Amino acid sequence: QVQLVESGGGLVQPGGSLRLSCVASTDIFNLDVMGWYRQAPGKERELVAAMYTAGSTNYADSVKGRFTISRDKDKNTLYLQMNSLKPEDTAVYYCNARDSLSRRSWGPGTQVTVSS
C-alpha cells in the first residue's frame, strides 16, 4: 500500500490561508484518485476535495471557491491550498489515495485550527 504523510497544518486566524502537502511513497500517477478528507470533533470524516488521474477534480460545496487541490508529479505530492479560512474549517485533515486495485491508504493527518 501507499505511504502518505501530510504536513502544513497549524493555527490560523479567520480569513487566513494555509497550504497542506501530502507526500506519497509512489508515483502519484499510478493512483486512480487522491483526495483530502477532514474530521472535526464529534463529526464524521468528510471529503473535502479529490483529484483523479486525468486531472479532474471535485470539491465539497462548503469549500468551493476557497480551496484548491493540485499536485506535483515530480515530487509525488498532493496539495490543498486553503484560503478565506473559517472557524468551521477546523478539523484534522487527512490525505487519502486509492490505487488501481481499489486499495485505500490514509495519512496520519494534520491539525488545522482556525481561531482568533
Side-chain angles (χ1 to χ4, degrees):
Q1 280 185 305
V2 180
Q3 304 301 313
L4 303 169
V5 179
E6 306 97 337
S7 62
L11 173 64
V12 63
Q13 293 186 342
S17 298
L18 283 175
R19 188 177 79 157
L20 305 184
S21 300
C22 171
V23 179
S25 61
T26 188
D27 183 344
I28 60 175
F29 273 40
N30 289 333
L31 301 168
D32 283 357
V33 59
M34 293 187 73
W36 290 95
Y37 287 71
R38 67 186 180 187
Q39 188 166 19
K43 295 188 177 181
E44 293 187 355
R45 193 172 296 190
E46 62 174 356
L47 175 67
V48 176
M51 176 172 278
Y52 296 83
T53 305
S56 61
T57 59
N58 64 281
Y59 294 89
D61 287 343
S62 59
V63 306
K64 283 180 181 176
R66 300 189 298 123
F67 291 12
T68 303
I69 190 170
S70 62
R71 63 190 175 186
D72 185 329
K73 180 184 184 305
D74 292 337
K75 296 181 179 179
N76 288 330
T77 300
L78 183 75
Y79 300 101
L80 184 68
Q81 178 66 45
M82 305 186 294
N83 299 328
S84 302
L85 283 161
K86 304 175 181 180
E88 51 264 43
D89 295 318
T90 295
V92 178
Y93 284 70
Y94 297 92
C95 182
N96 174 266
R98 190 184 74 207
D99 66 16
S100 59
L101 299 178
S102 296
R103 295 175 299 188
R104 286 190 174 273
S105 300
W106 293 92
T110 185
Q111 176 71 47
V112 172
T113 302
V114 184
S115 175
S116 55

